[in-house]
Amino acid sequence: MPLVNTKEMFKKAYEGGYAIGAFNVNNMEIVQGIVEACKELNSPVILQVSGSARKYAHHKYLYNMVQAAVEETGLPIALHLDHGSSFELCKDCIDGGFTSVMIDGSHLDYEENVALTRQVVEYAHARGVTVEGELGQLAGVEDEVSVEADKANYTDPDQVLDFVTRTGVDSLAIAIGTSHGAFKFKPGQKPQLRFDILQEVMDRLPGFPIVLHGASSVMPEYVATVNQYGGQMADAIGIPEDMLRKAASMAVCKINVDSDLRLALTAGIRKHLAENPTHFDPRQYLGDGRANITAVVSHKIQNVLGSANQA
Ligand code: G3H
Ligand code: 13P
Ligand code: ZN
């Protein structure tokens, strides 16, 4: 099976009450670690590449590593541009074989977001590529926000039908309280997601796939390992898994995870080098990091996403 777009994946996920994991990839060990778990559990997956990952590893390397994963596993895999910042970047990725792109116009004013997203959709759909748009901005980790100001960051359910109809997007990322990075809540702050907003969005867009960014749970065992071997991440806090499971059983069909992979890889490498100070063969310490990535993705598929045996 060649690379697929997200259309069929999301249709099945919505109907089945589960979500597809969208994992950020930056190098070979991350790609291999993720697909190893997906293969074992027969799970579809989205491998996503940010603009900065593309600068770091280069389009052709990432594209061909993901092609190798497709050949090696036979799984339905979508190659997705994460947080596309311009029409030109989306076009480059579409022309270069990506099967899905995100155009992130969430920081623009509403009409500009609609116009830019529409432009990407027209180019993408003519080439069989699916498009994710975004409405509402994720909370920043440092924000000292009152409830009123905080509310302004959430997606406004009154805009979603107009946005989806006028742009033609295939999925929509919304802001309901998740945030990017490993420090999503202040120490002592109670993690909360606005399921009322998600429900209102579902009421206005029945059957339409919703995306959650900033959805790492910042798994405590890897935070602990990183800290044990010299890291300084004691205050790292993520989204509780039961909330993510609930979202996956609702309209959320794509759950984005990057920080958990970064933590797991770093924990494996730190531990390996601390325990084996004479080692200098990258295959040894990167191998431990890669094994941790597989363990994280396997855990997510079984405990958060519910996508096992859905390939
Ligand atoms: O949402 C952003 C992703 O975590 C990608 O981050 O731009 O550092 O690759 P990055
Ligand atoms: P995390 O930082 O929570 O892993 O979110 C990643 C993400 O949203 C990528 O687009
Ligand atoms: Zn994101």
Side-chain angles (χ1 to χ4, degrees), residues 24 48 82-83 179-181 184 213-216 256-260:
N24 286 73
Q48 57 185 10
D82 190 28
H83 293 284
S179 80
H180 289 111
K184 300 185 191 302
H213 282 250
S216 279
N256 283 14
V257 173
D258 186 3
S259 297
D260 274 325

Side-chain angles (χ1 to χ4, degrees), residues 34 51 97 100 117 123 239:
I34 295 165
S100 175
T117 305
Y123 191 82
I239 313 294

Side-chain angles (χ1 to χ4, degrees), residues 231-246:
Q232 296 184 345
M233 303 195 68
D235 292 339
I237 304 174
I239 313 294
E241 287 185 347
D242 58 335
M243 293 186 191
L244 294 167
R245 264 200 309 278
K246 180 173 170 184

